[in-house]
Amino acid sequence: MLTAVALLSPLATAQQGQTLRAGELTVTLTPTQPDSNGWYRAGRLELQGTDEGIRGVETSRLRGAVLGELSPDGRWLSVLGTGGGYVQLWNVATAERQFTFLAHDKKSYDARLAAFSPDSRRLVFYSYPNELSLWDTATGVRVKLLSDVRKGGWWTADADAVFSPDGKTFVVTGGGGGAQLFDTRTGDLLQTFDRPCQSFGPGSPGGFWRGAVGATFSADGKNVAVLYAGGAARLYGVAGAGALAKASWKLDNFKPSQMRFWAGKLTLNGRELSGKTPNGLSFTLTF
């Protein structure tokens, strides 16, 4: 059964402001108005519920619409912006900026992802169009430049990172490429999953619309399901290279262009994969 749900894109949410809550802590990010070029400049960051009450600071030198995420242990707050090419890491207890993770190639300008590992010791950072990297949150040092090994499709990728339940590995997906499995501690590439050659029919665009748009692990961490644009899905074993099972999905009135703004978590329960499309339609498929 398909149900419609209204969803805001991350950029739209950021431009309207964002509030994060974890226990007694409330974090509010308020962007300023855009300048003549349409960029949202540095906004206001407020942390309420710390030992000394409300702490307000300016997210200085952060261009673009700010987006924030709290680390699982509640120690860190990541703040990134479109137009900046970097992500700031804030210490929640002191309300001080601890590190700035910067795209090294000077060509990446649009920070889109800052995903924490379950133990909060690693952060996967993606800045469009070229930079994908793994960082140590304790030292602020880049562990590895993942885009050196994940070739192909980054110029059109909307990257996402999903960690295994034990946090030892993570899968990166992106609209312009396939899916790959990395070691969380070292950043080593462990496995590249095959990419099905499917499209939306005659006259459809090429490889971009066949890329991986989402992934999730099984509860025991032994399998990972990957959802691909174009209607394909694959179930893989993390210890092997081949697909264990294949499935397909199709929704009426679903436009290929919506795949660029995937939203909502995927859930793998046994051989049943469920989730939501960018326009809020729920789906379930069985491998």
Side-chain angles (χ1 to χ4, degrees):
M1 181 177 181
L2 303 181
T3 56
V5 178
L7 295 176
L8 290 175
S9 70
L11 183 59
T13 302
Q15 292 174 351
Q16 295 174 14
Q18 182 186 25
T19 299
L20 304 172
R21 293 183 175 87
E24 296 182 355
L25 175 68
T26 300
V27 179
T28 303
L29 293 166
T30 307
T32 58
Q33 294 299 311
D35 59 18
S36 58
N37 293 321
W39 291 111
Y40 276 71
R41 293 189 178 276
R44 182 76 177 173
L45 170 63
E46 291 183 353
L47 293 89
Q48 182 176 2
T50 57
D51 293 339
E52 299 179 8
I54 299 177
R55 301 185 182 186
V57 293
E58 297 293 334
T59 55
S60 59
R61 297 180 59 194
L62 183 65
R63 292 192 68 205
V66 292
L67 288 169
E69 181 177 346
L70 288 167
S71 62
D73 64 4
R75 180 181 180 185
W76 304 109
L77 170 71
S78 66
V79 179
L80 57 85
T82 59
Y86 55 89
V87 57
Q88 297 175 343
L89 200 65
W90 290 76
N91 187 314
V92 172
T94 63
E96 295 178 345
R97 185 175 61 185
Q98 198 82 16
F99 303 113
T100 296
F101 301 152
L102 178 65
H104 87 293
D105 58 12
K106 298 182 181 180
K107 297 178 181 178
S108 298
Y109 58 88
D110 185 348
R112 296 187 178 183
L113 173 69
F116 289 99
S117 62
D119 63 6
S120 305
R121 294 181 180 179
R122 291 287 189 268
L123 183 140
V124 178
F125 167 50
Y126 173 61
S127 184
Y128 177 89
N130 298 310
E131 178 88 349
L132 177 73
S133 51
L134 181 68
W135 296 78
D136 187 312
T137 59
T139 63
V141 174
R142 184 174 62 234
V143 177
K144 196 148 193 175
L145 190 64
L146 306 179
S147 49
D148 279 350
V149 294
R150 194 189 191 281
K151 299 295 184 182
W154 282 114
W155 57 278
T156 53
D158 291 302
D160 193 17
V162 179
F163 287 86
S164 61
D166 61 10
K168 293 182 179 180
T169 60
F170 63 93
V171 171
V172 172
T173 59
Q180 282 159 314
L181 182 72
F182 291 92
D183 183 282
T184 302
R185 185 180 65 85
T186 64
D188 291 342
L189 177 65
L190 301 177
Q191 186 176 167
T192 296
F193 300 117
D194 60 349
R195 181 168 139 183
C197 295
Q198 292 192 6
S199 64
F200 281 88
S204 298
F208 176 81
W209 305 118
R210 298 194 298 269
V213 295
T216 188
F217 286 86
S218 59
D220 59 10
K222 294 181 179 180
N223 296 329
V224 59
V226 180
L227 190 71
Y228 295 89
R234 298 288 186 267
L235 181 67
Y236 303 97
V238 297
L244 300 176
K246 303 177 181 180
S248 60
W249 60 283
K250 182 179 180 180
L251 294 174
D252 295 334
N253 301 319
F254 188 72
K255 297 180 180 179
S257 60
Q258 293 172 320
M259 300 302 294
R260 292 193 62 187
F261 304 100
W262 190 262
K265 282 189 174 182
L266 296 173
T267 301
L268 178 62
N269 185 10
R271 295 221 164 189
E272 184 178 273
L273 179 66
S274 59
K276 288 184 178 179
T277 66
N279 59 345
L281 295 178
S282 300
F283 70 92
T284 300
L285 60 87
T286 302
F287 291 105

